[in-house]
Amino acid sequence: MTDHSNPLRDPQDRRLPRIAGPCVLVIFGVTGDLSTKKLMPAVYDLANRGLLPPGFALVGFARRDWAHQDFAKIVHDAVSEHARTPFREEVWAQLLEGIRFVSGEIGDDEAMGRLKETIADLDEARGTGGNHAFYLSIPPKLFETVVTQLRQHGLAESANGTWNRVVIEKPFGHDLDSARELNRVVSQVFPPESVFRIDHYLGKETVQNLMALRFANQLFEPVWNNRYVDQVQITMAEDIGIGGRAGYYDGIGAARDVIQNHLLQLLAHTAMEEPTSFDARQLQAEKRKVLEAAQPPKQMDLHTARGRYTSGWTGGQHCGAYLDEDGIPADSTTETYAAIRVDIDNRRWAGVPFYLRTGKRMARRVTEVALGFKRAPHLPFTSTDTEDLGYNALVMRIQPDEGVTMRFGAKVPGSQMEIREVNMDFAYGGSFTESSPEAYERLILDVLLGDPPLFPQHEEVELSWKILDPILDHWAESDARSRKSTMDEYKPGTWGPTSADEMLARDGFTWRRP
């Protein structure tokens, strides 16, 4: 019988930190921006918070001709510049003992042999016990090569209580067929429970707070449906351009880069039914039901919009057009802005449009989920009292100023009955003394623990492509019919092309301007 009087004796007590067991984390493509800015700092922050065991090792694999100490210097610099928590020498000294580097090309059997030897040495010297996680921070075209080599060198099989896991970064294919092929390749080597598809948005505290807001409070559930909600807007806007990512971004575009994964996952969390528990299988089952019920627009021309930023001024600086970015071909048909309407054909959400939008060079950086509520069926006020009164709204801010805002009408002080919109705001920074961990901290720890709730399964990936593929096909067919790009343009520092505003206006709505 569990003694609930003492949380230290209760293994189910969620207040206790979960600490990973001894293991080796191998990062392929360790010299890239993702690794230096996110992965290596996250590893240090986990160690600094006491969530990694003494028996932990970090192995980098890349083409550079580095010795172990050279790689350790790269990790040190990355941690010093990008870590969330303060730098402590005693933590770094412990990490340093387990840092190794293997030089080699992807596909080089000799290099993979050296990696196997390095891991075997760490299993012996650091007591990592045959537990290994392989993080593929590499282009998707190289996934098959790496996982095949891992199998050939005996690094994919788990035996005698040990584990081997693989972590895959998005994009998970570029359409439904390629996503299925990617899953086929990976599943031939690793069982489903050993495959972790990273969507870093699902590791953000505020995305998880969306579930807490819904399911820990009786306040919202009665109105979380089509009887009260008349629209949902999910936005991920960036105020920057593509930077030096032309090689990745061109040919991918805003819809594939963000809508297929981040925004459709946010839609699933917003619209799903309450799971019986937060066990991975239960959570994933409810998300799948939503994505299965989600339908792409029936009228593509009316309920999709895309655009590309031109040159202009934003934030006091002049920005070049997308087609002027280094590495972008003059005949590119890649969009930097995409907006779509999605309808969910189930009892809770029938008739409520979900609007998803994302773009670069927008007015500001913001990610949010906003529920707009229907107007009261009767307003016992004169028209002048409420002529400027807008919609009630509940806004969950994912980044950068994490929190929740409720918008409603209130009486203006005075002798007249004048109603004005006001906001009631909850901010994480003002309510909790502890800063939120970075998404990659949570996700890397979950990989090492073998805890999969925050990782989309291949069924979710395929269902997302089933929603997006018809839209991408429609855009391609429109260009083919016109024999030129039918892309709209928008100025930097704005909220996207006018076609996106017209898309909502047809339904009687307007986009939020956060």
Side-chain angles (χ1 to χ4, degrees):
M1 182 175 177
T2 301
D3 179 8
H4 293 284
S5 65
N6 184 351
L8 294 178
R9 297 180 184 176
D10 185 355
Q12 300 302 315
D13 195 301
R14 305 291 287 183
R15 293 170 295 180
L16 296 178
R18 301 176 304 159
I19 301 174
C23 56
V24 179
L25 175 63
V26 180
I27 301 178
F28 289 90
V30 76
T31 56
D33 277 355
L34 174 66
S35 179
T36 54
K37 293 180 180 178
K38 296 294 184 181
L39 304 184
M40 290 187 282
V43 167
Y44 170 81
D45 288 331
L46 287 172
N48 207 7
R49 294 164 59 202
L51 301 179
L52 295 181
F56 172 82
L58 174 66
V59 179
F61 186 101
R63 290 177 295 180
R64 304 294 175 86
D65 186 20
W66 288 341
H68 298 317
Q69 61 267 29
D70 298 323
F71 177 54
K73 176 65 164 57
I74 296 298
V75 178
H76 181 278
D77 293 347
V79 166
S80 299
E81 184 174 357
H82 300 292
R84 180 180 63 89
T85 57
F87 186 84
R88 294 193 296 157
E89 284 295 342
E90 62 271 25
V91 174
W92 172 248
Q94 180 176 304
L95 269 180
L96 183 61
E97 293 179 8
I99 291 179
R100 304 288 187 274
F101 183 77
V102 176
S103 176
E105 295 273 355
I106 299 292
D108 181 355
D109 274 329
E110 289 187 11
M112 191 62 70
R114 292 195 297 272
L115 175 63
K116 182 177 181 179
E117 291 174 3
T118 300
I119 291 174
D121 290 343
L122 288 168
D123 282 343
E124 182 70 25
R126 302 283 292 170
T128 47
N131 299 322
H132 317 127
F134 301 97
Y135 200 118
L136 307 190
S137 181
I138 54 178
K141 63 183 179 182
L142 299 176
F143 287 172
E144 181 173 7
T145 301
V146 172
V147 297
T148 300
Q149 283 191 306
L150 290 174
R151 179 178 59 187
Q152 291 172 345
H153 288 266
L155 292 172
E157 296 180 3
S158 302
N160 301 321
T162 65
W163 52 259
N164 286 289
R165 298 170 185 146
V166 64
V167 185
I168 301 173
E169 272 281 349
K170 74 174 184 71
F172 311 123
H174 63 271
D175 58 15
L176 178 58
D177 289 341
S178 59
R180 285 173 170 164
E181 175 61 18
L182 174 59
N183 181 63
R184 183 194 66 79
V185 166
V186 175
S187 63
Q188 286 182 336
V189 179
F190 290 91
E193 65 273 13
S194 297
V195 180
F196 290 75
R197 296 166 183 82
I198 286 274
D199 184 336
H200 70 271
Y201 260 66
L202 302 188
K204 291 183 178 293
E205 284 286 325
T206 38
V207 174
Q208 298 166 55
N209 192 55
L210 172 56
M211 292 186 285
L213 185 80
R214 288 194 58 190
F215 304 131
N217 301 289
Q218 184 69 4
L219 177 64
F220 301 108
E221 176 59 23
V223 297
W224 207 275
N225 53 60
N226 54 10
R227 293 189 295 278
Y228 296 94
V229 176
D230 66 356
Q231 55 153 327
V232 179
Q233 296 184 19
I234 303 178
T235 298
M236 177 183 165
E238 297 180 276
D239 56 5
I240 59 173
I242 62 167
R245 300 174 69 226
Y248 163 78
Y249 195 85
D250 196 63
I252 299 292
R256 286 186 174 96
D257 188 42
V258 175
I259 291 180
Q260 185 274 331
N261 39 74
H262 300 331
L263 297 195
L264 284 172
Q265 282 288 324
L266 287 176
L267 176 147
H269 280 81
T270 303
M272 72 180 184
E273 298 297 322
E274 181 177 353
T276 55
S277 73
F278 285 109
D279 173 77
R281 289 174 297 176
Q282 302 297 331
L283 190 59
Q284 290 155 3
E286 297 302 335
K287 288 196 293 177
R288 281 199 303 273
K289 290 178 187 177
V290 170
L291 294 173
E292 286 169 349
Q295 303 297 323
K298 294 179 175 63
Q299 297 175 291
M300 295 288 185
D301 287 327
L302 301 182
H303 288 130
T304 70
R306 58 177 175 151
R308 188 164 54 202
Y309 61 81
T310 62
S311 60
W313 291 85
T314 180
Q317 295 183 330
H318 187 268
C319 305
Y322 176 75
L323 293 179
D324 296 331
E325 300 273 12
D326 291 340
I328 301 299
D331 60 350
S332 171
T333 59
T334 299
E335 81 283 352
T336 61
Y337 176 98
I340 67 172
R341 169 176 166 165
V342 176
D343 291 281
I344 300 175
D345 291 346
N346 63 20
R347 178 166 294 193
R348 181 185 289 267
W349 295 112
V352 178
F354 281 69
Y355 299 107
L356 281 55
R357 64 171 168 170
T358 182
K360 293 188 176 293
R361 292 280 185 221
M362 303 281 277
R364 60 168 297 200
R365 173 177 173 258
V366 62
T367 300
E368 66 174 31
V369 177
L371 277 68
F373 291 89
K374 296 178 179 180
R375 291 183 183 274
H378 173 65
L379 293 172
F381 310 100
T382 65
S383 59
T384 55
D385 290 338
T386 61
E387 63 181 356
D388 294 327
L389 186 61
Y391 286 97
N392 295 154
L394 178 65
V395 182
M396 289 141 286
R397 304 189 306 274
I398 310 299
Q399 67 174 17
D401 53 339
E402 298 91 345
V404 180
T405 295
M406 294 181 66
R407 189 176 71 192
F408 53 91
K411 181 185 176 298
V412 177
S415 59
Q416 301 298 315
M417 177 57 77
E418 181 185 353
I419 308 298
R420 184 179 300 170
E421 280 186 359
V422 296
N423 288 333
M424 186 162 63
D425 193 65
F426 155 69
Y428 268 84
S431 299
F432 298 105
T433 56
E434 183 179 353
S435 63
S436 297
E438 286 290 328
Y440 279 99
E441 290 178 52
R442 171 68 185 269
L443 295 172
I444 290 175
L445 180 60
D446 283 353
V447 169
L448 303 182
L449 290 166
D451 195 9
L454 299 181
F455 297 84
Q457 297 300 294
H458 73 90
E459 295 95 344
E460 296 170 54
V461 173
E462 293 180 9
L463 288 167
S464 297
W465 281 118
K466 286 182 179 179
I467 297 169
L468 192 60
D469 270 2
I471 298 169
L472 298 173
D473 291 345
H474 170 75
W475 289 344
E477 290 166 5
S478 297
D479 290 346
R481 284 196 305 268
S482 302
R483 297 185 179 180
K484 63 177 182 179
S485 173
T486 55
M487 191 89 59
D488 292 314
E489 295 183 335
Y490 62 97
K491 287 287 187 181
T494 67
W495 285 103
T498 56
S499 57
D501 295 327
E502 294 166 357
M503 182 182 110
L504 260 68
R506 294 186 187 100
D507 294 339
F509 302 120
T510 57
W511 287 111
R512 278 179 43 80
R513 300 293 192 260

